[in-house]
Amino acid sequence: MLQRIFSGWDRPILPMVAGYLADRHGVGGALDLRSVACAVAGARAGRRLKECLLDEATARGLRLVPPRIVTIGALPELVYESELPHATGMVMRRTWASALREMPREALARTFGRAPEDEDTRGWDLMGATVARLHREVAGGGHRFDDVADVCASSGDMLFDDSERWALLGSAQAVYEQRLTRLRLADRDLARITALHGDAAPRATAEIWLVGVAELPAVVTSLLTRYPGAVYAVIHAPETEASAFDAFGCVVPGAWADREVPIESEHIVVTERPSDQAGEVLHAIVELGEAGIEEVAIGVTDDALVPYIAEWLESAEIRTHYAGGESIERTAPYRLLAALADYLEREDWEAFAALVRHPDLTGLLAGSVDASAKLARLDRHFQDHLPADLSTRSRHGGRPSEPPMRDSLDHLLQRLTGTRRLDEWAQEIVGLLIDVYGGRRLNRHEPGDRRRLEVLGRLRSAAISLHQLPPELSERCRAPVAVRLLLDEVRGAPIPHEPETAAVEVLGWLELALDDAPYTIVAGVNEPMLPESLNADPFLPDRLRSKLGLLDNARRYARDAFHATALVRSRRRVRFIGGRMTAEGDPLRPSRLMLTKRGDELALQVMRFVRQHPSVSGTGTPLAAAAGTVSAFKLPPAPVVALPELREISVTDFKRILSDPYRYALERHLRLRSVHDGARELDGGAFGALAHEVLGRFGQSPEIRSPDWPVVKAKLSELLDEEVSRTFGTASFPAVRLQIEQLRVRLYRFAKWQAERIDEGWEVALVEGYPAGAPRGDAPEPGAGVLFEVDGEPVTLKGRIDRIDHHPATSRWAILDYKTGDEPKAPERTHRRGRSGDWQDLQLPLYRHLAAGLMRPDGSRLIHPEDEIELGYILLCRDLAVPCGAMAEWSDADLAAADEVARAVIRYLRQGAVPFDPSISSAWPDDPLRPLLGARVLVAPGDAELEVEA
């Protein structure tokens, strides 16, 4: 009752199958196919076959009664009937996990490398999922695990005898089957093997048509061999190729191993990266000219190419529709639950920040406050405290250690605390989803809402499966374990994209073989995607697969060589596009299907892969702007920054203005700065701020006057510990803890210098504007500033001097600034440019003016004009051999010149605007202002007058 039908490859197969069925069953004014079951390789091919049948029936004036269309995975259930209902995926994984727990721990460790701890529910479930995968593959060949153990033990040509591991899995399989039987459930794959070896013949329920099926599992072919009904295998090849196919229309590997695949040089394009491949896809479509979009199909061997292709085609206003849909793992509700499980498991900052940033959760946690403002506060909290762990809830010195939104999040997650049975967690997980999504209005007529409802529906179905777990499979655990088990149930499920009219179909390689578009483009023609190959499996290496009759690399190659041949023969035009590198820059190998020619033709195809191909994509990024249009995006967006009336200026601002006035305007007046939580260590500013805080508090202590080095050292260490506790708590990153100890060593070196300085007769007068050696108490904030006259108009200079020392015996004063940079830089080096001697920083010279305005409590001047003043740094650098004191040696003329530079800066700012000057403004790697300064931004030719770095 088995018959092969060779359709030839003059045209695609599905329209021809529709014609065959109409010829056979189109009688009495109807095309009645209720007695027919068509088996296809994928769901999309089934939908397309139904469309072809409708077209054929309409053309013949027949009323269509469609057949039953199934995928190969569901075909066996047409020919036999299981006595028990099949277990769900979750029940099977849980049953495998419970069966594996019964196995000796030592044997499990030898088999899998390690055995989970008894309380590790998730670990056992993952092991169960691994074994379930092996079970499906092996059972697809009609084998049990014990059969594999026998093959391993009896084979003399395997690299090693793996029978012990498979025997252990065989024991677990027996326990697994017994437990399912007790639950009155059956494993689908084992039920097929039972039906194959049972006494009862398979039942004839329909006339079966195998449509373009190039491979079938052995258990399916065995069941079909015993099938009493009619089976037709439609083969997309001429009858002259009969020896290359078996009785079921599947490829014979040996017949395709050395065959020349008819891919000619004009069919092949080899380019560089994925974006370049996508550019070639667009180029190939443009070359088709008048061909309609509905006549083009794009095949991809790697899903990672789909976003590149969609971007390029959309830049040319060509819509795409990816038949594979969107992976559920990329959808918002799935990622919300995954982030939630991460947070509940770890309670570290990374998991917390990822969760509260989820777009479906941020608004709910922010309440009436603007969500972006809350997230900015969150980032500032991180930059201030660098918390690696959120386990501590203590408060230090009045500063909350709790980040913003933590309380709101914990309140939302109250239902997920403690331990419960797996089936009990299902209701709580659904309740959480209702809390998040229940208040939203979701419209099924809106594509985005419809996809979200689809995802939520699948999560609800998975929760029902979790809730219906039998008691013996529903152990107690924490919430994150239950969440991950629920996600395992839906992982890999595609969420269909919305149907698009006038869109180019993007298909997977195997789906492309059954498509009937006359123009075909295949991207990703590289090893090991095409032909597909699997070369590293710890349980089923390729040689063992061959011995078991499973899908091995030889069968995969034959299947893909056949599909490539059929594509070339049956389409008007085919383009195969390969790449040389991945998106990460890793090298790719050419597909063997492009290297089947002989002699000179083979050499030419190899040279095509090796030789550089001129990419149509240029920079690798599509430009959507049509010719003749002008972009609304200008570089920089604000060519001139307006300044407010200049009333006051900080002495530290002069360096920034002298270096880059436009950047100064962006940062100071427009307040543009980067706030993020990517740091895992203290940057230079944070390290210096911590040192300044410790040294500032040291200036309030009596020890500031002590000449005893151990006393000063102990006090500094104590103050450092207090400040670290107050700022970072007890849980920060390892690099931060290391930096704290590095600072401690620098402070010890400073302590020695400080004690020696006091012993030399110096006294610390002021620290950050406050009297040294006493608590600040209610003392007024210092730093009111002093007037600095420029062209008869005063401006207020503001700033806070780190420290002022006095030497009574010599009436000398020292104005000092703490510097914590790794490299020791003297004042001359930081303030003036090398050979020219031009002033590039005015901080220390302008401190003279600030110091002149400081008053004693009795109203008299602290420093008189006739007093001698020294300017310098206290260096806390990495090299402990460098002296802490570094004094400037500037003459009165030098300082007067510095004042004139300051006046010139003030005159510049009084103009009221700062224009962008590309010869001055510059950017560095990872500069947050880099795009605004025109660096690394692509513009269309003639789109902007500014030349930018491409």
Side-chain angles (χ1 to χ4, degrees):
M1 301 294 290
L2 181 62
Q3 182 178 344
R4 295 190 300 177
I5 300 174
F6 290 90
S7 68
W9 43 39
D10 296 333
R11 36 188 304 234
I13 188 173
L14 293 184
M16 289 190 285
V17 170
Y20 297 151
L21 289 171
D23 291 341
R24 182 177 175 85
H25 294 279
V27 294
L31 179 52
D32 189 347
L33 301 176
R34 282 176 291 185
S35 63
V36 173
C38 296
V40 293
R44 184 187 180 277
R47 293 191 297 271
R48 181 61 188 139
L49 175 59
K50 191 175 292 186
E51 292 173 358
C52 292
L53 287 169
L54 182 59
D55 292 341
E56 189 71 27
T58 302
R60 299 190 185 203
L62 301 175
R63 178 176 57 87
L64 175 65
V65 181
R68 181 175 181 180
I69 300 178
V70 299
T71 60
I72 298 302
L75 177 60
E77 279 61 48
L78 291 179
V79 302
Y80 86 97
E81 185 173 4
S82 177
E83 297 180 359
L84 297 173
H86 292 165
T88 64
M90 184 175 292
V91 169
M92 288 192 295
R93 288 193 302 274
R94 294 269 71 228
T95 306
W96 272 116
S98 67
L100 290 166
R101 285 178 183 264
E102 298 295 319
M103 301 299 106
R105 179 175 293 274
E106 297 80 7
L108 283 176
R110 289 196 300 272
T111 300
F112 294 96
R114 60 174 291 274
E117 299 298 328
D118 290 338
E119 66 278 5
D120 185 5
T121 303
R122 171 69 172 161
W124 287 107
D125 202 76
L126 289 174
M127 184 179 286
T130 298
V131 177
R133 177 188 65 82
L134 290 173
H135 166 73
R136 284 193 302 273
E137 288 203 66
V138 170
H143 307 292
R144 295 174 178 267
F145 287 156
D146 286 338
D147 301 330
V148 184
D150 292 341
V151 170
C152 290
S154 60
S155 297
D157 57 347
M158 301 290 290
L159 292 177
F160 55 89
D161 182 0
D162 209 14
S163 57
E164 180 184 352
R165 292 203 302 170
W166 288 103
L168 174 71
L169 295 179
S171 300
Q173 192 174 51
V175 175
Y176 164 78
E177 190 172 11
Q178 292 168 5
R179 295 194 173 183
L180 283 183
T181 303
R182 286 202 301 269
L183 296 172
R184 302 297 299 161
L185 295 171
D187 177 272
R188 185 195 67 172
D189 296 296
L190 291 178
R192 292 174 178 179
I193 295 175
T194 300
L196 180 62
H197 297 293
D199 295 332
R203 57 195 178 100
T205 59
E207 179 181 290
I208 296 177
W209 287 66
L210 304 176
V211 180
V213 176
E215 57 181 352
L216 284 171
V219 70
V220 176
T221 58
S222 298
L223 286 170
L224 289 177
T225 301
R226 302 179 61 203
Y227 185 63
V231 178
Y232 298 91
V234 184
I235 303 169
H236 194 198
E239 195 165 358
T240 54
E241 299 286 344
S243 61
F245 302 90
D246 65 15
F248 300 94
C250 299
V251 291
V252 176
W256 295 90
D258 297 319
R259 179 183 292 235
E260 183 177 299
V261 179
I263 299 178
E264 307 298 336
S265 295
E266 62 266 22
H267 298 144
I268 302 170
V269 175
V270 181
T271 184
E272 297 300 316
R273 297 177 182 266
S275 182
D276 301 314
Q277 293 193 53
E280 291 295 344
V281 170
L282 175 58
H283 185 63
I285 292 176
V286 172
E287 280 187 337
L288 295 178
E290 299 300 321
I293 294 300
E294 65 278 1
E295 294 184 293
V296 180
I298 301 170
V300 291
T301 64
D302 183 357
D303 290 346
L305 292 172
V306 174
Y308 295 97
I309 293 172
E311 180 185 8
W312 267 92
L313 267 60
E314 286 174 11
S315 74
E317 299 182 353
I318 299 175
R319 304 293 295 256
T320 60
H321 178 259
Y322 180 43
E326 180 182 12
S327 171
I328 196 172
E329 289 96 316
R330 299 183 62 183
T331 62
Y334 184 101
R335 297 179 75 164
L336 173 65
L337 290 180
L340 173 68
D342 288 342
Y343 172 69
L344 293 174
E345 281 179 347
R346 307 200 309 256
E347 285 200 358
D348 61 10
W349 178 269
E350 187 173 352
F352 168 74
L355 180 58
V356 299
R357 279 186 171 84
H358 192 286
D360 291 347
L361 197 62
T362 304
L364 183 65
L365 297 178
S368 60
V369 180
D370 178 61
S372 60
K374 277 271 191 176
L375 292 178
R377 283 180 52 200
L378 185 73
D379 286 334
R380 285 193 293 270
H381 174 92
F382 178 84
Q383 289 188 334
D384 290 342
H385 302 288
L386 290 178
D389 192 345
L390 301 179
S391 59
T392 176
R393 293 172 177 263
S394 60
R395 295 177 181 267
H396 306 285
R399 295 188 197 176
S401 63
E402 291 293 332
M405 296 189 281
R406 175 76 188 275
D407 291 340
S408 300
L409 180 62
D410 288 348
H411 178 74
L412 178 68
L413 302 183
Q414 279 182 340
R415 62 169 71 242
L416 299 183
T417 57
T419 61
R420 301 188 187 189
R421 293 167 59 91
L422 280 170
D423 57 328
E424 295 172 338
W425 278 123
Q427 183 174 352
E428 302 302 331
I429 297 171
V430 171
L432 175 72
L433 291 174
I434 292 173
D435 290 342
V436 176
Y437 297 102
R440 301 166 183 253
R441 287 185 173 273
L442 299 178
N443 185 351
R444 289 191 177 275
H445 298 292
E446 292 293 331
D449 287 353
R450 186 159 54 245
R451 283 205 312 275
R452 183 158 295 178
L453 287 168
E454 171 77 15
V455 175
L456 291 172
R458 297 199 184 193
L459 292 174
R460 178 180 177 274
S461 298
I464 291 173
S465 297
L466 189 66
H467 179 67
Q468 293 177 345
L469 276 177
E472 52 266 49
L473 300 179
S474 184
E475 58 191 274
R476 295 188 69 84
C477 64
R478 293 179 61 240
V481 174
V483 171
R484 295 205 186 279
L485 294 187
L486 184 146
L487 294 178
D488 287 342
E489 183 73 358
V490 299
R491 181 175 289 113
I495 304 301
H497 286 167
E498 296 297 318
E500 293 273 0
T501 58
V504 175
E505 288 286 346
V506 181
L507 310 171
W509 168 247
L510 297 181
E511 293 173 312
L512 188 67
L514 293 179
D515 189 74
D516 54 339
Y519 299 101
T520 301
I521 304 166
V522 186
V525 185
N526 289 95
E527 301 275 350
M529 288 78 73
L530 188 70
E532 182 188 13
S533 58
L534 181 64
N535 298 315
D537 190 305
F539 285 91
L540 288 170
D542 195 63
R543 181 172 296 183
L544 181 56
R545 287 176 181 272
S546 300
K547 289 184 176 294
L548 295 172
L550 306 181
L551 181 63
D552 58 7
N553 286 342
R555 292 178 184 273
R556 293 188 185 94
Y557 178 86
R559 175 200 66 196
D560 293 340
F562 160 59
H563 285 327
T565 300
L567 277 178
V568 173
R569 300 296 191 197
S570 62
R571 303 301 194 268
R572 294 183 202 170
R573 185 181 299 181
V574 180
R575 179 71 55 85
F576 292 92
I577 302 172
R580 296 188 181 91
M581 288 183 290
T582 66
E584 294 76 25
D586 297 324
L588 289 171
R589 292 174 291 156
S591 169
R592 284 171 287 160
L593 298 181
M594 295 196 300
L595 303 175
T596 60
K597 298 290 186 179
R598 304 289 192 272
D600 292 346
E601 291 186 48
L602 174 60
L604 288 173
Q605 290 187 344
V606 171
M607 289 300 297
R608 177 178 289 271
F609 186 84
V610 174
R611 188 182 300 121
Q612 184 75 21
H613 176 74
S615 172
V616 301
S617 64
T619 61
T621 303
L623 289 173
T629 62
V630 178
S631 170
F633 184 75
K634 299 298 182 183
L635 296 174
V640 177
V641 178
L643 302 179
E645 181 183 354
L646 185 64
R647 296 180 180 274
E648 61 182 39
I649 184 171
S650 170
V651 295
T652 58
D653 281 345
F654 285 88
K655 177 181 179 180
R656 301 163 73 181
I657 300 167
L658 289 168
S659 172
D660 188 338
Y662 187 78
R663 176 181 287 275
Y664 158 80
L666 293 179
E667 295 175 336
R668 173 67 73 180
H669 293 286
L670 298 186
R671 300 186 179 184
L672 299 182
R673 67 189 184 106
S674 174
V675 181
H676 61 86
D677 65 350
R680 294 299 179 266
E681 62 183 8
L682 299 172
D683 61 16
F687 186 86
L690 176 60
H692 276 73
E693 188 67 28
V694 172
L695 292 167
R697 295 185 61 205
F698 173 67
Q700 304 168 35
S701 67
E703 287 82 358
I704 191 70
R705 306 190 187 283
S706 175
D708 191 342
W709 174 56
V711 171
V712 176
K713 174 183 172 183
K715 185 61 178 180
L716 286 167
S717 185
E718 174 190 334
L719 292 173
L720 176 62
D721 289 337
E722 289 178 2
E723 187 59 29
V724 166
S725 177
R726 179 165 42 247
T727 304
F728 305 112
T730 57
S732 194
F733 296 100
V736 175
R737 296 196 291 271
L738 177 61
Q739 288 176 300
I740 290 167
E741 296 310 310
Q742 290 173 335
L743 177 56
R744 193 186 308 275
V745 173
R746 297 188 192 189
L747 290 174
Y748 288 169
R749 173 69 183 88
F750 165 78
K752 189 175 183 63
W753 176 85
Q754 168 70 16
E756 293 172 349
R757 187 168 177 81
I758 298 299
D759 192 52
E760 292 171 358
W762 284 94
E763 298 176 355
V764 182
L766 294 179
V767 176
E768 295 183 348
Y770 293 98
R776 295 175 184 177
D778 297 328
E781 179 82 8
V786 296
L787 295 179
F788 186 71
E789 190 171 292
V790 180
D791 300 333
E793 295 182 31
V795 64
T796 301
L797 290 180
K798 302 200 71 173
R800 183 178 294 184
I801 301 172
D802 284 345
R803 173 167 157 170
I804 298 179
D805 289 1
H806 183 222
H807 197 281
T810 59
S811 297
R812 285 183 297 158
W813 294 85
I815 298 176
L816 302 169
D817 196 57
Y818 292 119
K819 293 297 180 184
T820 57
D822 285 346
E823 299 299 325
K825 294 181 180 180
E828 176 69 18
R829 181 179 172 188
T830 60
H831 282 70
R832 305 177 78 176
R833 291 188 177 91
R835 293 182 179 178
S836 68
D838 294 338
W839 288 95
Q840 60 184 2
D841 188 359
L842 303 176
Q843 182 180 15
L844 285 179
L846 293 180
Y847 272 171
R848 297 161 28 249
H849 300 284
L850 292 178
L854 296 174
M855 312 300 287
R856 299 179 187 273
D858 61 4
S860 62
R861 288 180 178 274
L862 178 68
I863 303 176
H864 296 281
E866 64 274 12
D867 291 341
E868 182 182 350
I869 298 177
E870 299 176 1
L871 303 172
Y873 289 156
I874 299 175
L875 301 175
L876 283 77
C877 59
R878 180 170 50 193
D879 187 351
L880 301 180
V882 174
C884 286
M887 308 310 291
E889 298 180 357
W890 295 319
S891 66
D892 290 342
D894 292 331
L895 296 173
D899 289 347
E900 283 306 311
V901 173
R903 292 187 177 93
V905 169
I906 291 171
R907 292 187 188 102
Y908 175 82
L909 296 179
R910 282 176 173 171
Q911 297 176 13
V914 176
F916 175 70
D917 185 346
S919 67
I920 297 175
S921 294
S922 60
W924 54 85
D926 301 322
D927 183 353
L929 298 182
R930 193 169 180 150
L932 298 181
L933 300 176
R936 307 296 294 177
V937 176
L938 182 68
V939 294
D943 204 31
E945 296 179 359
L946 173 68
E947 290 187 5
V948 298
E949 178 186 359

